[in-house]
Amino acid sequence: MAKGQFSGALVEQLEEKRQGEAMQGNGVANAKAKLLYLESYGCAMNFNDSEIVASILKKEGYEITPVMHDAHLILVNTCSIRERAEQTVRNRLRQFSRIKKNKPGTVIGLLGCMAERLKEKLLEQEKLVDIVVGPDAYRELPKLIDECNGGQKSVNVLLSLEETYADISPVRLGTNGVTAFVSIMRGCDNMCSFCVVPYTRGRERSRNPETIVQEAKDMFDKGFREVTLLGQNVDSYLWFGGGPKKEFEKLTKEEQESSVNFAQLLELVAKVSPDLRIRFSTSHPKDITDDVLYAIKNHKNICNYIHLPMQSGSSPVLKRMNRTYDREWYLSKIDAIKTIIPDCAVSTDIITGFCGETDEDHKNTMGVLDYTQFEFVYQFKYSERPGTLAARQYEDDVPEEIKTQRLNELIKKQSEMSYNSNLKDIGRTFEVLVEGTSKRSEEQLYGRNSQNKVIVFPKADYKPGDYTTVKVTDCTAGTLIGELA
Ligand code: 5AD
Ligand code: SF4
């Protein structure tokens, strides 16, 4: 994937394994503009937040530069999900502070998920940054930068019960002009024992659906043809006027009548145009409803693709993970998906080596893969995060080499599954949304089908943003290869 460029794919696809990406603006820098170098790590949500930050700072006269040495302001939007993500950012901050030594006026800011946890360390002890701003305080950035220019170190890591940046129209960075992310909610109220997100991003709150639909319309008018609705747990989206998440049953009668849930939101966005594709991420097995599945079934432009993290296929491990479902529940959701939308692709996340995971637990996870045949599996080695339930309650007792061994088994299985799934597509014809020129050849384009699989095919007269029909003739584990039908 090109620097700073998003695919319309998954939140987790973009996690910290991908090195930080310098965000690229679209325009030519104005000689007098203040220059902002903005680097982002982590999930799609975080990349979308960077687009909000760029929008806020654009109003203050900042323009994006891809050259960090030119910048007056260097911001790094960080991820805390695994220890390695944090380590990468720390190394990067050391490089930025060397730039500052040669250019003392440069302001260096730490944004995002690492802000709350590491503010004191990075700001006061290690003096690596000048400002620290948490995910709910980006509107304060201009003020904090001003304070910093006045010689003061500034911090705002307050998490909000209300903030959704609903009124801010993100500046699309590094865009392919075809696919874009639209945040529909912020924060997370689930207490998965391994996860740091509830601590770094705060309470769950949903964004006003009118502003979501308006943003999707604007994107369509600008030529975009696919939006991915983003949230930590999209199935629990519920608009009832704003503020922290409440269960539907706890709403007043009036609130219930005017409320909008995720299935309803999908339908509202689907109606923007039949030529606008809709994807979403991430779903939670405890919250995904049949209504969501029927919304996908009933609207051709809502893509036949669901990312449904399982985390483990063993019920005792799921219990310790506090996922609030067991293996049978997860499998029943897979069955519902396959029954209601037979042609739906499903991907998942799996953590190997969570506290107390035995060989048998791992075998049970592998067994679910045999049963389900996911189109893709994102695998992660368990990484203990300070302050989480798991860190407080359980010992991180699976040896590193066993974590790695289980991960490798998963990787092998995943590659076989993807290849088998792709082989089944040979001979089939798909509608493809063209996203760009293939990396391998100028004569080939690439795009995705509804199931989120990448297809490479001859260019002819097509261009990014067009729909075309492609017959699959060959494949690798990662890509379908086809000809125009
Ligand atoms: N260690 C390893 N993987 C984690 N994930 C979340 N927290 C951790 C952790 N502490 C994984 C989960 C989640 C994905 C985004 O990252 O699988 O779905
Ligand atoms: Fe995204 Fe979670 Fe990483 Fe924060 S910690 S950037 S929410 S993946």
Side-chain angles (χ1 to χ4, degrees):
M1 202 184 300
K3 261 196 166 188
Q5 189 178 335
F6 306 117
S7 76
L10 292 167
V11 172
E12 289 72 23
Q13 208 164 332
L14 296 163
E15 56 85 55
E16 96 281 358
K17 269 194 288 189
R18 186 177 64 180
Q19 293 294 302
E21 287 180 3
M23 316 300 282
Q24 312 243 5
N26 296 321
V28 177
N30 162 354
K32 288 210 188 94
K34 296 180 274 186
L35 295 179
L36 162 64
Y37 177 81
L38 177 53
E39 200 167 275
S40 298
Y41 292 81
C43 60
M45 197 85 189
N46 230 28
F47 277 72
N48 189 232
D49 278 5
S50 290
E51 298 183 321
I52 289 167
V53 166
S55 173
I56 291 169
L57 291 177
K58 191 174 172 200
K59 292 201 183 80
E60 302 294 311
Y62 280 92
E63 282 183 18
I64 295 275
T65 171
V67 187
M68 65 175 109
H69 290 88
D70 291 348
H72 304 101
L73 173 62
I74 297 179
L75 296 178
V76 48
N77 195 357
T78 62
C79 173
S80 288
I81 197 125
R82 280 167 286 275
E83 195 182 348
R84 208 181 58 189
E86 287 193 358
Q87 202 46 52
T88 312
V89 167
R90 282 166 156 280
N91 294 340
R92 203 67 182 134
L93 288 175
R94 286 191 197 102
Q95 275 173 284
F96 295 149
S97 57
R98 284 198 284 277
I99 294 181
K100 190 178 162 91
K101 271 206 184 106
N102 296 328
K103 248 179 98 188
T106 317
V107 172
I108 301 179
L110 180 92
L111 314 179
C113 290
M114 280 168 68
E116 163 59 31
R117 225 172 68 67
L118 292 170
K119 55 182 187 294
E120 270 148 34
K121 219 161 181 223
L122 298 175
L123 195 79
E124 279 146 28
Q125 295 172 19
E126 299 182 26
K127 301 198 187 328
L128 284 174
V129 294
D130 306 299
I131 51 177
V132 175
V133 189
D136 288 342
Y138 296 144
R139 287 181 204 267
E140 292 285 295
L141 262 165
K143 185 176 132 250
L144 297 173
I145 295 165
D146 274 354
E147 284 172 9
C148 183
N149 285 329
Q152 201 181 320
K153 301 237 168 203
S154 303
V155 187
N156 188 338
V157 291
L158 289 179
L159 291 170
S160 160
L161 296 176
E162 316 280 338
E163 181 64 274
T164 58
Y165 300 110
D167 56 314
I168 295 182
S169 153
V171 170
R172 301 293 163 184
L173 298 169
T175 173
N176 60 9
V178 180
T179 61
F181 292 121
V182 175
S183 286
I184 63 163
M185 61 203 296
R186 297 182 72 81
C188 182
D189 281 358
N190 295 328
M191 275 290 165
C192 300
S193 62
F194 51 79
C195 189
V196 78
V197 171
Y199 307 93
T200 62
R201 300 187 79 95
R203 293 289 306 277
E204 190 173 312
R205 62 227 104 112
S206 295
R207 176 179 172 189
N208 183 335
E210 281 171 27
T211 67
I212 297 170
V213 170
Q214 191 54 50
E215 192 174 325
K217 277 192 183 140
D218 290 346
M219 299 318 295
F220 186 77
D221 291 344
K222 287 184 181 137
F224 286 79
R225 290 294 173 265
E226 180 180 294
V227 291
T228 300
L229 306 181
L230 289 181
Q232 243 72 44
N233 180 7
V234 288
D235 302 292
S236 103
Y237 175 91
L238 185 63
W239 172 256
F240 52 89
K245 157 106 206 216
K246 283 193 217 161
E247 296 305 323
F248 182 79
E249 294 69 34
K250 302 228 167 102
L251 301 182
T252 63
K253 199 155 177 291
E254 293 75 49
E255 282 175 332
Q256 284 187 349
E257 277 164 11
S258 62
S259 69
V260 176
N261 65 23
F262 184 56
Q264 292 163 329
L265 178 72
L266 275 175
E267 303 210 317
L268 289 173
V269 182
K271 284 184 193 138
V272 166
S273 163
D275 287 335
L276 181 70
R277 274 186 174 178
I278 294 107
R279 298 188 188 277
F280 55 88
S281 193
T282 297
S283 287
H284 194 301
K286 86 172 156 59
D287 292 314
I288 191 165
T289 59
D290 285 358
D291 286 350
V292 168
L293 303 183
Y294 282 110
I296 300 173
K297 182 187 170 78
N298 295 337
H299 294 268
K300 187 169 164 277
N301 57 333
I302 306 180
C303 291
N304 284 0
Y305 172 60
I306 298 175
H307 181 60
L308 195 67
M310 174 170 76
Q311 313 298 2
S312 167
S314 158
S315 295
V317 176
L318 287 168
K319 192 158 180 35
R320 284 199 295 283
M321 286 177 163
N322 203 25
R323 289 288 286 177
T324 70
Y325 58 84
D326 59 11
R327 174 191 168 95
E328 284 64 39
W329 174 276
Y330 187 85
L331 292 177
S332 73
K333 289 293 162 183
I334 295 288
D335 290 344
I337 293 171
K338 299 286 178 185
T339 308
I340 296 171
I341 324 160
D343 203 18
C344 192
V346 182
S347 61
T348 198
D349 288 347
I350 292 187
I351 297 178
T352 64
F354 183 68
C355 313
E357 187 190 64
T358 61
D359 278 342
E360 199 188 332
D361 292 324
H362 174 64
K363 273 202 198 103
N364 283 335
T365 299
M366 300 298 280
V368 176
L369 302 199
D370 283 332
Y371 175 81
T372 303
Q373 294 292 313
F374 294 99
E375 268 66 32
F376 204 88
V377 179
Y378 300 88
Q379 325 87 357
F380 310 99
K381 263 194 273 184
Y382 175 58
S383 160
E384 185 177 270
R385 307 311 293 129
T388 54
L389 282 176
R392 282 181 272 144
Q393 290 177 355
Y394 307 115
E395 198 187 332
D396 180 10
D397 56 357
V398 177
E400 187 60 26
E401 60 275 18
I402 305 260
K403 284 184 186 172
T404 308
Q405 193 186 319
R406 290 178 186 164
L407 186 82
N408 287 340
E409 261 179 66
L410 266 176
I411 292 171
K412 188 160 165 273
K413 174 82 110 199
Q414 130 68 32
S415 165
E416 285 164 14
M417 279 189 313
S418 293
Y419 188 55
N420 287 338
S421 165
N422 285 354
L423 279 177
K424 285 195 203 131
D425 289 336
I426 293 181
R428 292 185 67 192
T429 299
F430 294 102
E431 182 181 69
V432 173
L433 172 60
V434 183
E435 289 184 26
T437 305
S438 156
K439 264 184 270 168
R440 297 242 169 97
S441 158
E442 284 288 314
E443 297 311 309
Q444 303 269 313
L445 294 172
Y446 78 93
R448 277 164 212 274
N449 64 7
S450 175
Q451 289 77 2
N452 205 36
K453 289 190 182 177
V454 173
I455 306 192
V456 174
F457 56 93
K459 192 174 204 161
D461 289 332
Y462 290 103
K463 55 182 191 319
D466 289 344
Y467 284 96
T468 179
T469 312
V470 178
K471 183 171 181 196
V472 178
T473 54
D474 199 359
C475 72
T476 65
T479 313
L480 299 176
I481 298 153
E483 58 191 28
L484 293 164

